[in-house]
Amino acid sequence: MTATTDHPHLEPGEKLIEAIRPDRGRYWRDHGVMAVGLMALAGGVLWATGTPYPAIGSLGAILAVGVRAAYLASETLGLRWFLTDRRVILPGQRSVPLLELEAARTLLGDVQLITRSGDKHLLKHVANGAGLVAKILQARERRAKRRAD
């Protein structure tokens, strides 16, 4: 499975709950926030060090973030994750079993998955991070309940 696969390889009996895609609007908003933050930081540092043109550094920060966002947009927006009744399938044929999840939480515009072994995975620029976290945790609870029965 590649990063752009729209259909995951499911194990026998495994059910797909949701296909997860990055949200284009969220992607650009996240980069806008990053650009404004770096603009303020660059301008502040240059002003504090006595540089005569701190606005140039601020403009440079905005342009750098904009170029980075444009360059990575097609790759990032092509990512796919899949929530099944057993696991979260990540790009590159990796997956996280639901029963191995220690935590799932929002992190800015992303959802962070943390496994019991401490591995961390990001589902980047999702539209409704809180809703996705709730679905993942609900699927984990259903999986744990089925295992206990």
Side-chain angles (χ1 to χ4, degrees):
M1 177 172 62
T2 64
T4 58
T5 299
D6 286 326
H7 303 288
H9 175 72
L10 299 178
E11 297 170 352
E14 186 175 18
K15 293 183 177 114
L16 180 64
I17 296 173
E18 183 171 351
I20 305 153
R21 300 170 176 247
D23 180 68
R24 183 176 300 279
R26 179 56 139 184
Y27 177 81
W28 289 109
R29 276 191 304 277
D30 289 349
H31 280 83
V33 169
M34 188 184 337
V36 169
L38 288 175
M39 174 195 74
L41 180 65
V45 167
L46 292 173
W47 176 78
T49 60
T51 304
Y53 304 107
I56 298 299
S58 296
L59 178 61
I62 290 174
L63 290 174
V65 171
V67 167
R68 177 191 181 279
Y71 181 75
L72 294 176
S74 64
E75 180 181 336
T76 302
L77 294 172
L79 294 172
R80 300 292 178 264
W81 304 274
F82 301 94
L83 174 62
T84 74
D85 60 342
R86 298 179 188 174
R87 59 193 171 139
V88 178
I89 302 172
L90 307 168
Q93 298 183 358
R94 298 174 300 141
S95 65
V96 177
L98 292 174
L99 296 178
E100 291 298 315
L101 279 178
E102 180 71 28
R105 62 181 177 207
T106 58
L107 183 66
L108 301 175
D110 303 333
V111 169
Q112 183 182 45
L113 304 177
I114 303 171
T115 65
R116 295 185 194 287
S117 63
D119 294 333
K120 295 178 181 173
H121 306 279
L122 281 180
L123 285 68
K124 300 176 182 181
H125 311 291
V126 296
N128 179 4
L132 180 57
V133 166
K135 284 182 185 178
I136 292 169
L137 295 176
Q138 182 181 42
R140 180 184 69 179
E141 295 306 315
R142 282 195 308 261
R143 180 76 175 154
K145 193 174 194 179
R146 275 193 302 258
R147 278 284 176 107
D149 291 341

